[in-house]
Amino acid sequence: MNTQQKNRPIIYVISSLAAIAGMLFGYDTGVISGAILFISKQFGLTPFTNGMVVSAVLLGALIGAGGSGRITDSLGRRKTIMITSLIFILASIASALAQDAMALIITRIFLGIAIGVASYTAPLYLAEIAPAKIRGFLVSLNQLAITIGIVLAYIIDYFFAPTENWRMMLGFGAIPALILLLGVIYLPESPRWLILKGFTQQGRLVLQKIRGDINVENELQEIVENTGMPQTTWRALLTSTYKPILQISLGLAFFQQVTGINTIIYYAPTIFVMAGFKGATSAILATLGVGIVNVLFTIVSILLLDRLGRRPLLLFGIFGMMLSLVGLGSAFSMADLSFSRWIAVASMVAYIACFAIGLGPIVWLMISEVFPLPLRAIGTSVAVCAVWLCNMIVALTFLSLIHLLGGGHTFWLYALFCLVSLVFVYKYVPETNGCALEQIEKNLMSGKPARELGQPLSKRK
Ligand code: BGC
């Protein structure tokens, strides 16, 4: 125990470096909310091209996530992060220099590809190097970095708004990307990937380096046993053995998005104006407040995850989101704007805090945990694609829904999705807290149902 504690700093350093990929994800998805106003003005965008510029990143992310399984499996996790950071740098600079809408859309698709690959690789890498006991904490550093990236984007937007300098807003993303590129030099390859590729001795060395003085033979043995399992293709995902994990991961991906998080992240200023706030500045400031609450409650969640477990936080968080959405919807249905706008603000703050406690960090964490090694690349990639696809659908339909149903009913619809996701989590999502990835795998192979996949060996029949 002592030795384990003594050697932990290195694992924190490595994890924090890898999590910068999450920061880029947050920055590059968040920055457009402020920049688009000025881009639209300069290029004279139509509503359609406007939507294209905003959602090009989401389309790119979908493509990136789709290819990322194969890429990380053949190149390794480390090299993939390195190439991704290079694309981040180049695409950020290119988008800042774009001379017309088409160039912007194309560069933002590339940026999206980098985001998609990063959103897959960073949590996967973190889960693979983490000791089981603090895996929740380490993998969730990625989500923390996403929220910090979003706040950073809001601050940069606010800073450059008076000069309408959207090029600086977009170009600024190259700086954290450069830090990531330099940081990758210190990242070791994932021991699980090394062993999967037959480099067992190298895998042992890395494991020893990141675990310190403790004996790594048991862990190594478990990994070797699991990598010995035959490699599978995506078709295996559809077989009954793997059905429970497909169900869990796709369900979580779906519910993380259809409960409406990005209507707030991408459109908070619009919602604040709709709720009766006058002027862009106060709306952007209120948005910044929402971003900061997101960061703070992600920290709360990270500190509790490995103590309380994933399920209680998920259930509590979703329940709170549901109540907040009912409140937000009601605010839009009230006649008296002076009162209702404060209900809207309180509901949005409560909503974002509850998302940050549960669905935000835990979905990425569980997606990275539940797939067995031979299927991890393909399975995780399918789940991450589902996140981006649902993200894109919600982002593209939100404003039309508001137009069609009105604010009240739209947010009540997302509240209804919260209710369904509550039932889903209660019935199907396992508690994986403190359970080694290899144990989850063994439970799966022994035919346990979804809800019991995280049970420790001692409880197995
Ligand atoms: C979600 C993003 C969202 C972000 C907000 C992430 O977990 O995947 O879609 O924008 O959290 O913090």
Side-chain angles (χ1 to χ4, degrees), residues 54-55 58 262-263 266-267 390-399:
V54 174
S55 44
L58 302 178
N262 287 313
T263 63
Y266 302 161
Y267 296 105
C390 298
N391 186 338
M392 199 162 83
I393 293 172
V394 173
L396 286 175
T397 52
F398 173 61
L399 292 180

Side-chain angles (χ1 to χ4, degrees), residues 24 49 59 91 139 167 202-203 267 269 271 328-329 335 342 440:
L24 291 165
T49 44
L59 178 67
V139 176
R167 294 188 188 276
Q202 270 171 272
Y267 296 105
I271 299 175
L328 190 56
W342 292 111
I440 299 176

Side-chain angles (χ1 to χ4, degrees), residues 155-304:
I155 294 174
I156 296 291
D157 278 358
Y158 185 65
F159 190 73
F160 287 109
T163 51
E164 307 199 350
N165 196 342
W166 62 266
R167 294 188 188 276
M168 281 304 286
M169 295 176 187
L170 301 189
F172 185 88
I175 297 176
L178 188 65
I179 299 175
L180 177 61
L181 184 65
L182 297 176
V184 177
I185 297 170
Y186 295 100
L187 294 187
E189 183 48 88
S190 152
R192 285 180 165 82
W193 181 81
L194 286 168
I195 295 163
L196 181 70
K197 292 290 162 181
F199 304 116
T200 312
Q201 188 48 25
Q202 270 171 272
R204 173 187 277 117
L205 288 178
V206 173
L207 209 55
Q208 197 65 71
K209 184 176 161 202
I210 58 180
R211 297 285 182 266
D213 298 340
I214 60 165
N215 189 338
V216 294
E217 286 313 311
N218 281 349
E219 190 176 355
L220 189 80
Q221 198 46 46
E222 290 233 35
I223 301 175
V224 170
E225 268 174 33
N226 282 282
T227 46
M229 287 156 60
Q231 285 290 306
T232 31
T233 64
W234 66 270
R235 275 174 206 281
L237 272 178
L238 304 176
T239 61
S240 58
T241 317
Y242 296 115
K243 211 175 122 209
I245 34 171
L246 195 62
Q247 194 178 18
I248 298 166
S249 54
L250 287 185
L252 286 173
F254 177 75
F255 287 117
Q256 188 198 50
Q257 295 297 322
V258 300
T259 43
I261 180 61
N262 287 313
T263 63
I264 309 286
I265 298 292
Y266 302 161
Y267 296 105
T270 316
I271 299 175
F272 279 122
V273 170
M274 270 162 50
F277 281 87
K278 299 265 179 314
T281 318
S282 56
I284 292 179
L285 266 185
T287 305
L288 191 58
V290 164
I292 291 172
V293 171
N294 194 11
V295 174
L296 294 180
F297 279 85
T298 303
I299 296 175
V300 172
S301 176
I302 290 180
L303 294 176
L304 295 177

Side-chain angles (χ1 to χ4, degrees), residues 17-28:
L17 279 174
I20 297 177
M23 191 168 150
L24 291 165
F25 165 168
Y27 185 86
D28 286 309

Side-chain angles (χ1 to χ4, degrees), residues 346-369:
S347 306
M348 270 169 77
V349 169
Y351 171 84
I352 206 90
C354 291
F355 174 83
I357 292 263
L359 280 176
I362 299 176
V363 168
W364 291 108
L365 173 60
M366 295 199 87
I367 285 180
S368 71
E369 288 180 332

Side-chain angles (χ1 to χ4, degrees), residues 65-115:
S68 55
R70 276 167 189 270
I71 300 172
T72 40
D73 251 11
S74 54
L75 294 182
R77 310 342 185 187
R78 183 175 176 271
K79 240 186 227 160
T80 307
I81 297 180
M82 190 182 280
I83 294 171
T84 308
S85 53
L86 256 178
I87 303 178
F88 267 122
I89 298 175
L90 297 178
S92 299
I93 296 173
S95 64
L97 297 176
Q99 291 306 313
D100 53 33
M102 193 36 107
L104 201 55
I105 291 168
I106 293 171
T107 52
R108 280 181 59 76
I109 290 180
F110 276 99
L111 206 54
I113 293 177
I115 296 175

